[in-house]
Amino acid sequence: MSIWVILKVIAALATAATGLLALIKPSAVYGFTGLTANGVRGVSEIRAIFGGLLIALGLVPLFLGTVAYQMLGIGYLAIAAARAFSIVFDKSYAQSNIISLIIEIVLGAILVI
């Protein structure tokens, strides 16, 4: 198994793990997004979007292979592009935002290659 395949598997599993954390403990999402749920409807959205979707996006490439890894990578790069726009347009230069941008670019590049 090549180092690239190992890195892709790690990136996919990290995505799924992030989703699992959001599903099990929605309040933890605040630590990496700055978002809080306002009532039970907000908690449901965190569990569904940050939980269910990230779990699926992380696990599916493990079964479908190359194209699914690339699609996950494109997703990360699209998020990075939107975040970069927000950093400039909204003047959101928080350190956590810059760190998220770097992580998204790195994961996106690993998954697309």
Side-chain angles (χ1 to χ4, degrees):
M1 188 177 292
S2 77
I3 187 69
W4 287 110
V5 173
I6 293 168
L7 290 173
K8 288 176 189 206
V9 169
I10 290 170
L13 289 175
T15 301
T18 301
L20 186 60
L21 177 63
L23 180 67
I24 293 170
K25 189 177 179 191
S27 62
V29 169
Y30 177 79
F32 59 91
T33 66
L35 299 174
T36 58
N38 186 8
V40 294
R41 178 71 171 98
V43 171
S44 180
E45 283 301 306
I46 288 173
R47 288 187 199 275
I49 303 302
F50 288 102
L53 183 60
L54 286 179
I55 290 169
L57 289 173
L59 292 181
V60 166
L62 301 175
F63 299 98
L64 296 183
T66 303
V67 173
Y69 282 114
Q70 290 172 335
M71 192 62 229
L72 178 57
I74 290 167
Y76 272 116
L77 293 173
I79 292 168
R83 186 179 306 280
F85 175 82
S86 176
I87 288 170
V88 173
F89 186 78
D90 301 324
K91 297 177 179 52
S92 178
Y93 301 109
Q95 182 179 1
S96 62
N97 221 10
I98 303 299
I99 291 169
S100 292
L101 177 65
I102 292 167
I103 290 170
E104 291 152 3
I105 291 170
V106 169
L107 290 178
I110 288 168
L111 289 160
V112 168
I113 293 174

